[in-house]
Each structure stands twice: as C-alpha cells, then as structure tokens.
C-alpha cells in the first residue's frame, strides 16, 4: 500500500478563497452530505450557514481581517437582513463558487450581494446586510476606521460614497 499523500492547507485555502477584482471575492465550496436533504439537494436553510462561512472567508482572505480575533475581541458582524432567490438546485458533490460584492457601506452596516454559481449556472443569489456589533453592549457600533477603509478599497478602490445606516 502506498502512503497517504499530504494535504497542503495553505494551497487549499488560497485556491478556494480569492479576490478576482476590485469588488469580487470568490469562495469555492463543495456541497456536502450535511448540506443536503434526503433528495441530495441543498436544503435551503443550509445556504445561511454557507453564507456565514463565506462571510468569514471574505473578512479573512478578501479584506485581510482576522475574523476570529475580531470576534474574540468582542466585535461581531451578524446578518440582519437576508433576501434570497433560489434559481437552480445544488446537489451533493457539486463544487460551487460563492461570489461576494459590496453594494453599500453604512455607518455600521455592510450591504452585500452573494451569488452562488455551479459552473456558469446561477444557483442562488442573495442580498445580505451585516452590521458591526459590540458583544458586550449588544448594540451596533460604527465600523472601525481600519475596517471601513479596507471595505471601501475593496468596493471599488474607494470610489463609492458611504450610505445611510
């Protein structure tokens, strides 16, 4: 029996999460058994979990923010609004790309578009709004200036104005 090949985590992460332009972050995922219903298609609530995983990737690999340290430091970014359209089913074993773009940056909010593609076929599209929250006070807070500048730069090189929120 041959040895089991090593798994290169760094290569996997760089291949699975990447920036593809000034306002285009892509996170590649494989649809797993646990995402699916008995018909082996993604059970729609599982997309919310996938959206959150992609959000973590976006912060970590798109914006260069240590998401886990941010949360451990008492700051979170929960979803406060979600509007999704399901265009085509995704099945167990499919490899899909979640594409994230920023639509607006508010005082404490980030409005995004998440699109899930399997090949060139749009599977799901969703508008998600996140807010920055202080865990101790359980209230929204202004986006910290360093995070705001990273978001703004990602959005379109700083070309878009701050929205209300």
């Amino acid at each position: 029996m041959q040895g089991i090949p090593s798994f290169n985590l760094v290569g996997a992460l760089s291949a699975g999460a990447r920036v593809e332009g000034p306002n285009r972050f892509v996170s590649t995922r494989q649809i797993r058994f646990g995402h699916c219903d008995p018909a082996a298609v993604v059970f729609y609530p599982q997309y919310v979990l996938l959206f959150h995983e992609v959000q973590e990737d976006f912060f970590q690999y798109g914006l260069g923010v240590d998401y886990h340290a941010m949360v451990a430091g008492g700051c979170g970014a929960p979803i406060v609004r979600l509007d999704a359209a399901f265009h085509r089913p995704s099945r167990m074993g499919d490899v899909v790309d979640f594409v994230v773009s920023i639509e607006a940056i508010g005082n404490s909010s980030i409005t995004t578009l998440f699109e899930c593609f399997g090949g060139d076929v749009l599977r799901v599209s969703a508008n998600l709004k996140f807010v920055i929250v202080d865990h101790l006070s359980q209230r929204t807070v202004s986006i910290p200036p360093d995070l705001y500048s990273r978001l703004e730069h990602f959005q379109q090189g700083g070309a878009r104005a701050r929205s209300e929120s």
Side-chain angles (χ1 to χ4, degrees):
M1 179 174 155
Q2 290 184 328
I4 297 173
S6 298
F7 179 72
N8 182 344
L9 180 62
V10 174
L13 289 177
S14 66
R18 60 205 179 273
V19 175
E20 292 185 346
N23 192 16
R24 185 178 165 90
F25 174 78
V26 180
S27 182
T28 300
R29 291 270 186 274
Q30 183 174 20
I31 301 302
R32 307 270 182 194
F33 175 81
H35 297 131
C36 297
D37 62 17
V41 298
V42 174
F43 182 47
Y44 68 92
Q46 290 294 329
Y47 274 110
V48 178
L49 175 62
L50 288 163
F51 292 151
H52 180 77
E53 290 174 359
V54 170
Q55 175 204 7
E56 287 187 38
D57 285 353
F58 172 63
F59 272 76
Q60 190 90 17
Y61 306 111
L63 300 174
V65 172
D66 186 337
Y67 188 83
H68 304 108
M70 183 179 86
V71 170
C75 185
I79 297 171
V80 295
R81 190 184 72 227
L82 167 66
D83 179 29
F86 301 93
H87 305 282
R88 298 274 189 268
S90 293
R91 301 183 185 289
M92 187 170 49
D94 286 354
V95 175
V96 296
D97 284 330
F98 283 88
V99 179
V100 179
S101 58
I102 296 175
E103 294 190 326
I105 307 168
N107 181 51
S108 61
S109 67
I110 307 159
T111 303
T112 59
L113 173 64
F114 279 48
E115 295 175 299
C116 174
F117 292 93
D120 291 334
V121 178
L122 181 62
R123 307 288 179 89
V124 177
S125 58
N127 292 96
L128 290 93
K129 185 174 190 175
F130 304 96
V131 294
I132 302 301
V133 173
D134 177 296
H135 289 161
L136 289 176
S137 68
Q138 295 186 343
R139 296 195 180 272
T140 60
V141 295
S142 295
I143 298 171
D146 57 333
L147 175 57
Y148 185 86
S149 66
R150 291 173 192 220
L151 288 162
E152 187 177 49
H153 178 75
F154 181 85
Q155 188 178 21
Q156 282 296 344
R160 293 187 185 172
R162 184 176 247 192
S163 70
E164 296 296 315
S165 90

